[in-house]
Amino acid sequence: MLERDGSSREGSEPDSPFDRVALGRAVRGARLAAGLSPEVLAARSGVPLEDLIGMENATQDCAVRDVHAVAHALAVPFKNLIKSCCVDQ
């Protein structure tokens, strides 16, 4: 729950309209649908394997350029991955 100043009652960062877990699920789902291992997708996209795993597991923030590179390597529209993680739509 956000306070009027935008801070969270729990003392963490303000709630964000970005759902990192949903993005990770979308990336993993597209990778599995393409029949690729994380290692192959990392090599094709140029995204370091540990960053790709962090993206899929939602354990770290990811750069837009990395999501874009993954989308191209998977031959899926970038917007399809991004729209999955926007919670205000």
Side-chain angles (χ1 to χ4, degrees):
M1 175 79 101
L2 292 179
E3 298 294 329
R4 287 180 174 225
D5 67 359
S7 65
S8 172
R9 289 187 189 169
E10 293 82 30
S12 61
E13 292 184 31
D15 288 339
S16 170
F18 179 81
D19 186 344
R20 190 170 32 184
V21 173
L23 175 63
R25 286 182 187 143
V27 170
R28 179 177 286 127
R31 177 179 59 75
L32 292 173
L36 300 178
S37 69
E39 294 80 7
V40 170
L41 179 55
R44 286 187 183 179
S45 66
V47 174
L49 179 59
E50 66 185 35
D51 292 348
L52 177 63
I53 290 170
M55 185 187 303
E56 286 191 0
N57 293 331
T59 56
Q60 66 185 40
D61 287 329
C62 53
V64 171
R65 72 178 173 272
D66 290 345
V67 179
H68 190 255
V70 165
H72 275 278
L74 290 169
V76 299
F78 174 72
K79 68 181 181 179
N80 289 4
L81 295 180
I82 294 300
K83 73 180 179 183
S84 69
C85 63
C86 187
V87 296
D88 352 351
Q89 289 186 344

